[in-house]
Amino acid sequence: MSPIKVLTGIAVLVLVLFLVPGVAADYTFVMKLNSHGNEFEEFASPVSVAISPTGCIYVLEQEGGNRVQKFAPDGDYLLQWGSNYHGGSDDGDFSYPSQIAVNSSGYVYVADTGNYRIQMFDSQGNYLRKWSSWGAGTGEHFTNPRGIAIDGQGNVYVADGGVYGRIVKFGPGGNYIGEWGPLGSGITQLGVDGDGHVYVADAGANRIQKFDTAGNELSWGPVSFARFGPRGVAADSLGNVYVSDTGSDRIRKFDTYGNDITEFGSSGSGEGQFNYPQGLAVNSAGTVYIADTSNGRVQAFSEGPVASGSISVTSSPPGAAIFIDETDTGEVTPKSIPKAPGTYRVYVRLAGYEVPPLQFVLVERGKDAVVDFLLTAEPPAPTGTLRVTSTPEGAEIFINDADTGKKTPADIDGAPGTYTVAVGSLAGYITPAPQSAVIESGKITSIDFRFQAGGRAYVTSTDEGGNPYPGLITIDGHDTGKLTPAMLDSIAPGHHHFIVRDIHGGSAMVWGYFGSAEADIPVFGTTDVNVPLKYVEPLMTVMTGCPVDLAITDPKGHTVSGLNNEIPGAIYFEYGPGADGRPDTMVMIPRGAETGEYLISVTPRPGALPAETFTLTVFKADGKIVLADNVPISEIPAEPYHVIVGGTSPVPEYPGGAIPAFLIILMAIAVFTLKAGRD
C-alpha cells in the first residue's frame, strides 16, 4: 500500500473521530417515574412522553390507563386527566391514545386513536377543543391517528395509519393545510427537529423516514432495525435523532442524516433496561425520557458525566441560605453549585426577610445557570400591650409561667394571642389566682389583681408527752408541703382547720401520729397553733383516691363521713390535692371500735365526670384489700362495699355481700367431687 493511501486513511479516521458524534460518551441513568399499576403516580401502559417548555413531564397511558399524568421536572406528581382504565368518548376522555405532544406555549395535544380525533388541552388538563373524526382517510377524517408532533411554528402533524398511511398537516388553530402519503399502515409516532423536519417511525417497514415541511422525502440512513421496531422517534435541539428500537429493547441515537452515534439499553427490568420501549422525548438539557411500556415506567438518561453543569445563586442582600429541591445546601449567596443537567427548584432564606417565590432553573451540560433573588424585608411583627396592675403594687409579673422581670404596675408588649398572667406573693396578703388575657394587635389589654389581706400561723406539734414531734401540715384539706414547726403566710382571715400527721403504712396496716386543731386567723396578725398528736394504730384504715367522698357505717349503725362523726375516736380527714386537683380522703377506725361487718359507701364529688376514675383501699390487721382500682365514676355500685373487720380472710368482699355465681359453681363442683370420692 502506498504512503499516500495510508496517510489518506489516517486523515479520514481522524475526521470521523472528531466530526462524527458516534464517539459520544455513554448515557447515564438519571431517574425513573414510578412503578407498574393504575393508581396515581403509577403506570398501566405508558406509550408516549412529552416535555413542556418549563420542563414538566407529560406521560400518556394506553390500555388500562387511558389518561395523561403530569409530573414536575424533578419527578413529583402534579395531576392527571382522562377516562382511566376502560376509556371513554366524552370530551377529555381517551380510547387507546397513542402519542402526546406539547407546543411552545404549553398546550397539550393527544392523538386519541380509538376515538379517531385530536384533542387539545391547557397545561392543567382543561379540555379546549377537538378536531377531525372517523372517515375514509382523506382530508380531516382519520382511520387510525397514531402519531402527533408540533414544529416551532405551531403546526400540527398527525400520523394517520390504517390502510393508507399518511401524514396530515394542520395549522396552529387546527385548520387543515395538507397531507402526504401513502406511507404504509405501520406508521406509529412522529418527531420534529428544530428545522421543521418531520421524522416518521414506521414499525411495519422497520424504518425511519424524514420529510421537509411540505412532505418531500429527504435522505436519511439507511438504518437497519430489529423486528417490530421502531415505534418512537424524537429529535433534540442539535438535530440528533433518537429512536426506540422496540424489537431489541434499546435506544439508538443518530445524527440528522441517519448516521449511527451511539445506543444504550438492553432487555430486562433493571435501571437502564427496557421491555418494549415506545415513545421518547428530549428536553433542552439533552435528557432523554423513554416510555418503558411493558415495565410500566418512564426512565430518564443523560449523556456523559452526571455533574456537568452548575447553578450560580445570588441575592440582594447577600448571605441567604440556598435551598435546592427543598434541601438546604449548606451554602449562602453568592455561590456557584455544581449540578447534573436537569431542572431544579431553587429558593433562598434570610432572617428578617420574606421567603421569595421559588424559581425553576434549567441546568445544561457545560453551562452555568444564573438565578437571582431580590429579598424584601419582613414587615414588623404585629404587637399589642398587656397592662398589668395590682392592689397593692409591687408584685412580680409572670406570663405563661415565665418571670418577666417586671413588677406591677407595668406595660408589657407581646405578639397577639392568649396568655396566662400571674403575680408573685406579697407579704401579708393572699396571692390571687392567675388570669387569662388576650393581647390584640395595636391595642392595650388591661388586667388587674386584687390582693386580699391575710394572716400568719406558726404551727407546732407535740406528742403525748408534750415533746415537739414533727408532722406534715394540712390546712382545710390542702397539704402545705411543710413540716412543723413552720410559719405559714398569706392565710385568709377566718376560722381554719389544721391537721398534722406523721402516718406510715405497710402491706396490711397504717399507723403513726395524728392530731388536729382549730384556729382563727386575724388580718395581718400571727397566731400560734399547737397541734397535739396522738399515736394511732387503727382497727381499719380506708383510703380513696379522688374524686369521691366516703361514708363508713359500723356494725351498730354509727357513721363517720365528711359531714358527721358518730364513731368515737374515728378520724376522717382530707389531704392533697390529688391527681385531679381535689383532695384525697383517709378514714381511720380506732382500735376498740366495733368488730364485724362495715359498710363503705362511695359517692361522686360535685363536678366529677362519669369517665373519671377512683381507687378504694382498705388496710386491716389481716391484710390490705383493694376494692376499686381506677374504676370509672359511672360504675360506682349502687350498694355499699362490705368489709369484715376482725375476721381472718384478706379477700375483698363484694358489694351487697353477694357471692359471685362462678364461685358458687366451683364450690358445688368441689363438694360433688369429694362426695363421689367417698362413695
Side-chain angles (χ1 to χ4, degrees):
M1 181 180 296
S2 69
I4 296 177
K5 290 184 178 180
V6 172
L7 292 174
T8 302
I10 293 174
V12 171
L13 177 60
V14 170
L15 286 173
V16 169
L17 290 175
F18 280 91
L19 300 179
V20 178
V23 294
D26 291 338
Y27 273 75
T28 304
F29 173 82
V30 176
M31 69 172 181
K32 64 181 177 181
L33 297 181
N34 309 303
S35 57
H36 196 279
N38 54 21
E39 299 298 328
F40 295 158
E41 304 182 64
E42 295 180 341
F43 300 121
S45 180
V47 294
S48 180
V49 187
I51 309 298
S52 75
T54 59
C56 288
I57 307 161
Y58 294 85
V59 181
L60 179 67
E61 294 179 75
Q62 206 169 72
E63 52 186 336
N66 288 297
R67 62 180 174 175
V68 174
Q69 292 197 67
K70 180 180 179 181
F71 298 84
D74 62 355
D76 282 350
Y77 171 84
L78 298 177
L79 56 90
Q80 70 163 321
W81 72 90
S83 43
N84 204 348
Y85 202 74
H86 295 297
S89 58
D90 293 338
D91 292 344
D93 287 345
F94 305 113
S95 176
Y96 211 81
S98 296
Q99 190 171 8
I100 188 170
V102 182
N103 71 9
S104 59
S105 299
Y107 292 107
V108 181
Y109 298 77
V110 176
D112 188 8
T113 308
N115 287 318
Y116 312 106
R117 64 186 177 183
I118 301 298
Q119 293 197 74
M120 179 180 175
F121 305 86
D122 66 15
S123 61
Q124 298 302 305
N126 298 305
Y127 171 82
L128 299 178
R129 59 166 300 181
K130 63 186 174 185
W131 67 85
S132 299
S133 60
W134 183 87
T138 57
E140 302 179 47
H141 301 288
F142 297 132
T143 61
N144 192 13
R146 302 186 63 187
I148 188 168
I150 304 169
D151 65 19
Q153 306 304 313
N155 296 309
V156 180
Y157 299 86
V158 178
D160 187 19
V163 177
Y164 303 98
R166 62 189 179 127
I167 305 300
V168 188
K169 182 177 180 180
F170 298 87
N175 54 300
Y176 175 81
I177 294 177
E179 61 183 79
W180 67 85
L183 303 179
S185 61
I187 60 174
T188 55
Q189 297 189 11
L190 300 181
V192 176
D193 66 18
D195 295 325
H197 299 135
V198 180
Y199 296 86
V200 182
D202 187 350
N206 290 322
R207 64 182 178 178
I208 296 292
Q209 289 180 279
K210 179 180 179 181
F211 300 90
D212 64 17
T213 58
N216 299 306
E217 186 171 4
L218 304 176
S219 175
W220 196 86
V223 178
S224 176
F225 293 100
R227 187 184 178 194
F228 303 124
R231 292 184 175 271
V233 61
D236 64 19
S237 59
L238 300 176
N240 298 309
V241 180
Y242 301 80
V243 179
S244 58
D245 193 359
T246 307
S248 64
D249 290 325
R250 58 180 175 166
I251 306 303
R252 300 177 64 180
K253 180 180 179 181
F254 305 90
D255 66 12
T256 189
Y257 303 108
N259 297 306
D260 271 297
I261 295 178
T262 189
E263 64 180 53
F264 58 93
S266 61
S267 297
S269 58
E271 293 179 356
Q273 294 183 315
F274 304 102
N275 188 356
Y276 208 81
Q278 295 196 67
L280 308 96
V282 187
N283 69 11
S284 57
T287 302
V288 184
Y289 297 81
I290 299 105
D292 189 5
T293 305
S294 293
N295 280 326
R297 64 186 179 183
V298 171
Q299 296 192 74
F301 298 84
S302 178
E303 185 180 15
V306 174
S308 55
S310 60
I311 303 175
S312 289
V313 188
T314 61
S315 68
S316 180
I322 302 171
F323 293 79
I324 298 179
D325 288 343
E326 311 297 333
T327 300
D328 189 348
T329 64
E331 305 287 355
V332 298
T333 57
K335 185 68 177 180
S336 180
I337 302 173
K339 299 299 290 184
T343 303
Y344 298 89
R345 293 172 294 178
V346 183
Y347 67 93
V348 297
R349 287 181 181 272
L350 183 61
Y353 291 84
E354 296 179 348
V355 178
L358 66 83
Q359 298 187 42
F360 284 92
V361 181
L362 177 64
V363 175
E364 298 183 71
R365 187 173 293 104
K367 297 182 179 180
D368 184 42
V370 179
V371 57
D372 181 66
F373 294 89
L374 179 61
L375 304 182
T376 302
E378 291 179 341
T383 60
T385 301
L386 184 64
R387 178 165 293 166
V388 186
T389 58
S390 69
T391 304
E393 298 176 346
E396 295 178 325
I397 302 172
F398 298 83
I399 297 180
N400 289 346
D401 295 326
D403 189 351
T404 65
K406 296 184 177 182
K407 295 183 178 181
T408 58
D411 284 349
I412 302 172
D413 294 330
T418 302
Y419 299 87
T420 299
V421 185
V423 290
S425 60
L426 292 176
Y429 292 89
I430 301 169
T431 304
Q435 299 184 45
S436 179
V438 177
I439 296 180
E440 298 182 70
S441 178
K443 296 183 179 180
I444 297 176
T445 301
S446 297
I447 186 170
D448 182 63
F449 292 90
R450 299 281 176 167
F451 283 81
Q452 179 183 354
R456 302 199 303 172
Y458 184 70
V459 185
T460 59
S461 56
T462 54
D463 62 15
E464 294 166 309
N467 302 308
Y469 191 96
L472 183 65
I473 305 170
T474 298
I475 300 179
D476 300 327
H478 292 275
D479 285 339
T480 65
K482 295 184 177 181
L483 293 172
T484 58
M487 179 68 76
L488 305 182
D489 294 313
S490 302
I491 302 175
H495 189 76
H496 296 276
H497 181 66
F498 294 82
I499 291 176
V500 176
R501 69 185 189 276
D502 178 33
I503 302 297
H504 306 277
S507 61
M509 287 298 296
V510 174
W511 68 92
Y513 283 89
F514 182 90
S516 63
E518 308 286 325
D520 291 316
I521 305 299
V523 177
F524 297 127
T526 300
T527 300
D528 292 329
V529 180
N530 181 65
V531 180
L533 303 180
K534 181 179 180 181
Y535 180 77
V536 290
E537 187 175 330
L539 179 69
M540 177 178 68
T541 302
V542 182
M543 301 178 67
T544 183
C546 51
V548 294
D549 289 321
L550 296 177
I552 301 176
T553 304
D554 70 7
K556 297 288 187 180
H558 304 128
T559 300
V560 58
S561 69
L563 300 177
N564 67 321
N565 188 354
E566 300 172 349
I567 300 177
I571 299 171
Y572 185 107
F573 72 97
E574 295 178 341
Y575 62 97
D580 67 346
R582 308 181 184 97
D584 295 330
T585 302
M586 178 183 289
V587 181
M588 305 175 74
I589 305 299
R591 285 191 176 275
E594 296 289 337
T595 59
E597 184 179 62
Y598 278 73
L599 304 180
I600 303 176
S601 298
V602 179
T603 55
R605 285 180 177 163
L609 301 176
E612 291 186 89
T613 61
F614 75 97
T615 61
L616 182 62
T617 307
V618 175
F619 296 88
K620 54 181 184 173
D622 54 0
K624 179 177 76 171
I625 305 171
V626 178
L627 297 178
D629 185 10
N630 290 320
V631 174
I633 294 296
S634 60
E635 297 180 14
I636 293 178
E639 297 293 327
Y641 292 91
H642 292 239
V643 178
I644 304 299
V645 179
T648 59
S649 173
V651 179
E653 290 76 8
Y654 292 89
I659 300 176
F662 75 91
L663 288 180
I664 296 175
I665 294 172
L666 291 176
M667 293 170 62
I669 293 173
V671 171
F672 177 79
T673 303
L674 290 173
K675 184 176 184 302
R678 289 196 301 269
D679 294 342

Short mmCIF file of all heavy atoms in Angstrom, two decimals, residues 48-51 58 99-103 107-111 148-150:
data_model
loop_
_atom_site.label_atom_id
_atom_site.label_comp_id
_atom_site.label_asym_id
_atom_site.label_seq_id
_atom_site.Cartn_x
_atom_site.Cartn_y
_atom_site.Cartn_z
N SER A 48 -46.16 7.12 25.53
CA SER A 48 -45.62 8.35 24.95
C SER A 48 -45.25 9.33 26.07
O SER A 48 -45.88 9.35 27.13
CB SER A 48 -46.65 8.99 24.00
OG SER A 48 -46.14 10.18 23.43
N VAL A 49 -44.23 10.15 25.80
CA VAL A 49 -43.75 11.15 26.74
C VAL A 49 -43.59 12.47 26.00
O VAL A 49 -43.19 12.48 24.83
CB VAL A 49 -42.40 10.75 27.36
CG1 VAL A 49 -42.00 11.72 28.46
CG2 VAL A 49 -42.43 9.34 27.88
N ALA A 50 -43.90 13.58 26.69
CA ALA A 50 -43.67 14.91 26.13
C ALA A 50 -43.15 15.82 27.22
O ALA A 50 -43.50 15.65 28.40
CB ALA A 50 -44.96 15.47 25.53
N ILE A 51 -42.31 16.80 26.85
CA ILE A 51 -41.72 17.74 27.79
C ILE A 51 -42.21 19.14 27.47
O ILE A 51 -42.15 19.57 26.31
CB ILE A 51 -40.18 17.69 27.73
CG1 ILE A 51 -39.67 16.25 27.86
CG2 ILE A 51 -39.58 18.56 28.82
CD1 ILE A 51 -40.02 15.57 29.15
N TYR A 58 -45.06 15.07 30.73
CA TYR A 58 -46.38 14.52 30.48
C TYR A 58 -46.23 13.07 30.00
O TYR A 58 -45.44 12.80 29.08
CB TYR A 58 -47.13 15.33 29.43
CG TYR A 58 -47.48 16.73 29.85
CD1 TYR A 58 -46.56 17.77 29.70
CD2 TYR A 58 -48.73 17.02 30.40
CE1 TYR A 58 -46.89 19.07 30.09
CE2 TYR A 58 -49.06 18.32 30.78
CZ TYR A 58 -48.12 19.33 30.62
OH TYR A 58 -48.46 20.61 31.00
N GLN A 99 -50.07 8.99 21.16
CA GLN A 99 -48.93 9.90 21.32
C GLN A 99 -49.42 11.23 21.88
O GLN A 99 -50.55 11.65 21.64
CB GLN A 99 -48.19 10.12 19.99
CG GLN A 99 -46.85 10.86 20.19
CD GLN A 99 -46.00 10.90 18.94
OE1 GLN A 99 -46.41 10.52 17.86
NE2 GLN A 99 -44.76 11.39 19.08
N ILE A 100 -48.53 11.88 22.63
CA ILE A 100 -48.80 13.19 23.22
C ILE A 100 -47.72 14.15 22.78
O ILE A 100 -46.57 13.77 22.57
CB ILE A 100 -48.87 13.07 24.77
CG1 ILE A 100 -49.34 14.39 25.40
CG2 ILE A 100 -47.52 12.64 25.34
CD1 ILE A 100 -49.65 14.26 26.89
N ALA A 101 -48.09 15.44 22.62
CA ALA A 101 -47.13 16.47 22.23
C ALA A 101 -47.50 17.77 22.94
O ALA A 101 -48.67 18.00 23.28
CB ALA A 101 -47.15 16.67 20.71
N VAL A 102 -46.49 18.65 23.16
CA VAL A 102 -46.70 19.94 23.81
C VAL A 102 -46.08 21.01 22.93
O VAL A 102 -44.93 20.87 22.48
CB VAL A 102 -46.07 19.98 25.21
CG1 VAL A 102 -46.35 21.32 25.89
CG2 VAL A 102 -46.59 18.84 26.08
N ASN A 103 -46.83 22.10 22.67
CA ASN A 103 -46.26 23.16 21.83
C ASN A 103 -45.48 24.17 22.68
O ASN A 103 -45.40 24.04 23.91
CB ASN A 103 -47.34 23.82 20.97
CG ASN A 103 -48.30 24.68 21.78
OD1 ASN A 103 -48.09 24.95 22.97
ND2 ASN A 103 -49.38 25.12 21.15
N TYR A 107 -49.46 24.23 25.45
CA TYR A 107 -50.71 23.49 25.18
C TYR A 107 -50.41 22.04 24.83
O TYR A 107 -49.40 21.73 24.18
CB TYR A 107 -51.49 24.17 24.07
CG TYR A 107 -52.04 25.52 24.45
CD1 TYR A 107 -51.48 26.70 23.94
CD2 TYR A 107 -53.11 25.62 25.34
CE1 TYR A 107 -51.98 27.94 24.31
CE2 TYR A 107 -53.62 26.86 25.72
CZ TYR A 107 -53.05 28.01 25.20
OH TYR A 107 -53.53 29.23 25.57
N VAL A 108 -51.30 21.16 25.26
CA VAL A 108 -51.08 19.73 25.15
C VAL A 108 -52.01 19.15 24.09
O VAL A 108 -53.22 19.44 24.09
CB VAL A 108 -51.33 19.02 26.51
CG1 VAL A 108 -51.07 17.53 26.39
CG2 VAL A 108 -50.46 19.65 27.59
N TYR A 109 -51.45 18.31 23.20
CA TYR A 109 -52.21 17.66 22.14
C TYR A 109 -52.09 16.15 22.31
O TYR A 109 -51.00 15.63 22.58
CB TYR A 109 -51.69 18.06 20.76
CG TYR A 109 -51.80 19.54 20.44
CD1 TYR A 109 -50.92 20.46 20.99
CD2 TYR A 109 -52.80 20.01 19.59
CE1 TYR A 109 -51.02 21.81 20.72
CE2 TYR A 109 -52.90 21.36 19.28
CZ TYR A 109 -52.02 22.26 19.85
OH TYR A 109 -52.12 23.59 19.56
N VAL A 110 -53.21 15.44 22.12
CA VAL A 110 -53.21 13.98 22.25
C VAL A 110 -53.84 13.36 21.01
O VAL A 110 -54.94 13.76 20.59
CB VAL A 110 -54.00 13.54 23.51
CG1 VAL A 110 -54.07 12.00 23.58
CG2 VAL A 110 -53.33 14.09 24.76
N ALA A 111 -53.13 12.38 20.44
CA ALA A 111 -53.70 11.59 19.35
C ALA A 111 -54.59 10.51 19.98
O ALA A 111 -54.10 9.50 20.48
CB ALA A 111 -52.59 10.95 18.52
N ILE A 148 -48.38 12.20 16.67
CA ILE A 148 -48.61 13.64 16.61
C ILE A 148 -47.31 14.34 16.99
O ILE A 148 -46.59 13.90 17.89
CB ILE A 148 -49.78 14.08 17.52
CG1 ILE A 148 -50.12 15.56 17.29
CG2 ILE A 148 -49.47 13.80 18.99
CD1 ILE A 148 -51.42 15.98 17.93
N ALA A 149 -46.98 15.44 16.28
CA ALA A 149 -45.80 16.24 16.58
C ALA A 149 -46.10 17.68 16.19
O ALA A 149 -46.96 17.94 15.35
CB ALA A 149 -44.58 15.71 15.84
N ILE A 150 -45.39 18.63 16.82
CA ILE A 150 -45.64 20.06 16.59
C ILE A 150 -44.31 20.73 16.29
O ILE A 150 -43.32 20.54 17.02
CB ILE A 150 -46.30 20.69 17.83
CG1 ILE A 150 -47.58 19.93 18.20
CG2 ILE A 150 -46.59 22.16 17.60
CD1 ILE A 150 -48.16 20.31 19.52
#
